[in-house]
Amino acid sequence: MNLYTSLLRTGVPAAVGWLVAVALRHGLDLDATAVSGVLTPVMIFVYYGVFRFAEEHVSPRFGWLLGYARPPKYGESQFSLPRI
C-alpha cells in the first residue's frame, strides 16, 4: 500500500502542476520550452507544498487533493549505514 500511496501522491501533483503550467502559458505567452523547463516543476512544487502544509496544519482531509488521504508510512529499516 505504501508504494501505491507514494506513487499516487507524486503523480497527482505532477499532473496538476503540468495542467496549471500549460494554462498559465496561454496567459503569459511563453514558449513550450519555458513551460516544460521552468514553470511545470515550479507549479508541482507549489501545489504539493500548499496541500501538504494544509494536510499537516489544517486538516488531514486536504490529503485527497494529493491523490490519497494519508501520507505513506515507512517502517524502520533493518539495515543501517556503516559508521566510519
Side-chain angles (χ1 to χ4, degrees):
M1 181 61 113
N2 285 328
L3 178 62
Y4 170 75
T5 304
S6 64
L7 290 174
L8 194 61
R9 289 174 64 100
T10 300
V12 168
V16 171
W18 178 78
L19 287 172
V20 171
V22 168
L24 286 175
R25 175 181 171 229
H26 293 293
L28 297 176
D29 194 31
L30 297 171
D31 65 346
T33 306
V35 171
S36 63
V38 176
L39 201 52
T40 300
V42 168
M43 291 312 303
I44 293 169
F45 179 78
V46 168
Y47 181 87
Y48 183 80
V50 165
F51 289 110
R52 187 67 177 101
F53 180 84
E55 181 182 40
E56 284 287 320
H57 298 288
V58 178
S59 171
R61 292 183 178 193
F62 282 100
W64 283 111
L65 294 169
L66 295 173
Y68 199 74
R70 285 180 277 157
K73 296 190 189 284
Y74 301 102
E76 292 292 322
S77 175
Q78 298 178 31
F79 306 106
S80 61
L81 294 174
R83 296 200 176 228
I84 297 177

